[in-house]
Structure formats: structure tokens, C-alpha cells
Amino acid sequence: VQLQASGGGLVQDGDSLGLSCVASGRTFNNYGMGWFRQAPGKEREFVAGIRKGGGTTYYSDSVKGRFTISRDNDKRTVFLQMNRLKPEDTAVYYCAAGNPILSNLRSARAYPYWGQGTLVTVSS
């Protein structure tokens, strides 16, 4: 599966922004999806994940209550709605596809397919 992320940009502290990730191929429904981010000089970190059926979602503590992950399997798209953005949310955001077991859900190595990344910059 190939992934194309979009929606990044420059926003101010407290603003909202929505990211999208469109998958090619007809196997999108077979994969759980995740959003990760990587800030300059830091390791890639888990942001949010959603199971292939869409019924279960997971979030990092740093974004819980502010970000929402969702998916539309008919459109082969996963979304990340980001509200109340903070400067520390500045990073390149990546979508990823895979079927990690629950204990590996937050590990980037558990996702074999990755999009190209989209930059989100939050100014203070």
C-alpha cells in the first residue's frame, strides 16, 4: 500500500489543523493506521492509531483530548484532526499502515508502510 499525507502548514498557538492520508490499492481496509511525528533532533514518536475497523483508537498522552484520529475506508483515507495546537506539536507528521499487536501499537517498527510526511509548524 502507498500512502500520501497532506494538510500540514503554519499555524499559531491554539489553532486547529487537519491532516489527511490517502492510501492507494484495495487493501486499505486490511490495515490499522497510525500517525507519527518527528521533530528536529528527536526520534519519531507515536501520535495516534486506529484499528482497521475504525472502532478503536489510541493516543499518546501528549495529544490525548486535543487530537482525533479517524478513517473512511470507502475513501481509503485516514485523518488526524488537531485542535489546540501548541508549539511543541511542531514536527513532520507521517501516516503509517500496518497491523501491530497491541503491545507494539506505538512502535514505528511495527508499521511497514509509510507516507512521505507533512510539516506542521506551530508558532507561539
Side-chain angles (χ1 to χ4, degrees), residues 18 25 38 66 79 86 88:
Q38 188 165 17
R66 299 188 298 122
F79 305 95
K86 305 175 182 180
E88 51 263 43

Side-chain angles (χ1 to χ4, degrees), residues 4-120:
Q4 181 76 34
S6 62
L10 173 63
V11 297
Q12 293 187 332
D13 190 355
D15 283 352
S16 297
L17 194 65
L19 305 181
S20 300
C21 175
V22 181
S24 63
R26 289 175 282 183
T27 60
F28 177 75
N29 294 7
N30 293 337
Y31 292 101
M33 299 296 296
W35 285 98
F36 289 75
R37 67 186 182 188
Q38 188 165 17
K42 295 187 176 181
E43 292 187 356
R44 192 168 298 189
E45 65 171 355
F46 173 82
V47 175
I50 187 166
R51 291 300 203 185
K52 57 186 178 182
T56 306
T57 57
Y58 306 86
Y59 298 94
S60 67
D61 289 342
S62 62
V63 308
K64 193 176 299 181
R66 299 188 298 122
F67 291 11
T68 302
I69 187 171
S70 61
R71 65 189 295 161
D72 184 333
N73 284 346
D74 290 337
K75 296 181 178 178
R76 300 195 302 274
T77 302
V78 63
F79 305 95
L80 185 68
Q81 178 62 40
M82 304 181 292
N83 297 328
R84 303 198 307 275
L85 282 160
K86 305 175 182 180
E88 51 263 43
D89 294 318
T90 295
V92 177
Y93 283 71
Y94 299 88
C95 58
N99 279 311
I101 59 175
L102 187 58
S103 60
N104 281 347
L105 187 75
R106 292 168 171 79
S107 171
R109 287 177 288 184
Y111 294 81
Y113 305 105
W114 290 83
Q116 84 288 2
T118 184
L119 177 62
V120 174

